[in-house]
Amino acid sequence: MTRLIEAKNIGLTLADRTILEGVNLQLHAGKITTLIGPNGAGKTSLVRLLLGLQPASQGELWRKPSLRIGYMPQKLHIDASLPLTVQRFLQLGGAGAAALKNALSLTGIAHLLASPMQRLSGGEVQRVLLTRALAREPQLLVLDEPVQGVDVNGQVALYDLIDRIRAQQGCGVLMVSHDLHLVMAHTDEVICLNQHVCCHGHPESVTSDPAYLALFGAKAAQTLAVYTHHHDHKHNLHGDVVCNHDHSLPLEDCPPAAQKDESNA
């Protein structure tokens, strides 16, 4: 796999306080890596280091030359009096028309272009932010709490979308999340952070690691088991159940043979 970013023994100290210590990680093209950890673990600080927004206090950080990064922030604050439509907000990102059109086709929000940003739902805001990140045609997509403010069905739809984007675009994905339930079923590697890397690896191996259990408890691992089952259906971006064979069709409208397949899955 193509290496995009590698961190070797990086650390961060601010005002004599250790924020991060001895962190090692690699991010690769075509691979979804999820960063988890309790509040105050240093997740946001680590992302800032990887993006080059904050210099490390120690260690080595390597990025692929001319690496294109698409970043989706955790929150967006827009003044209620600012007349800003979705289309204008996306254009402010500086992407070309073709790249923006392709991003809109991936996220399915073209119908929102004339809507004021302030009137969007939480899920719609997240999809707009994802569209703007994708319009940069990134080799690495960095998503900070991508399903914040989205209901459970919408979360499933967004994670499925991220899977498809990774498959279609071949980009690497770094997700930051505190949601252990759904995110673990949509990632290739988990990095458990608490100022340092406590454990890392495939989700199933991480959830049985003593360091993970010490941070989140055995109950979290038991809850995870509920969410790592095989899905017998799909959700669209609006959270509706759709046909596995044609994601544009509601389940009740898919062909009878396909409905039989769905019910027997």
Side-chain angles (χ1 to χ4, degrees), residues 57-78:
S57 303
Q58 65 182 53
E60 300 177 18
L61 183 62
W62 177 90
R63 295 185 195 87
K64 180 182 176 182
S66 303
L67 178 65
R68 295 192 309 275
I69 298 176
Y71 175 59
M72 178 179 169
Q74 183 178 139
K75 295 180 181 179
L76 177 68
H77 299 286
I78 297 178

Side-chain angles (χ1 to χ4, degrees), residues 3 21 26 28 44 61 72 76 96 98 135 137 147 158 165 172 174-175 186 207 218 221-222 224-225 227 262:
R3 186 178 47 145
E21 183 177 22
Q26 289 187 0
H28 294 90
T44 298
L61 183 62
M72 178 179 169
L76 177 68
E137 299 181 307
V147 298
L158 273 171
I165 289 168
L174 173 63
M175 285 197 290
H186 292 79
T207 52
Q222 293 169 358
L224 174 66
Y227 289 93
E262 303 286 328

Side-chain angles (χ1 to χ4, degrees), residues 179-190:
D179 177 12
L180 305 180
H181 303 327
L182 291 173
V183 73
M184 293 290 239
H186 292 79
T187 189
D188 300 308
E189 181 180 16
V190 176

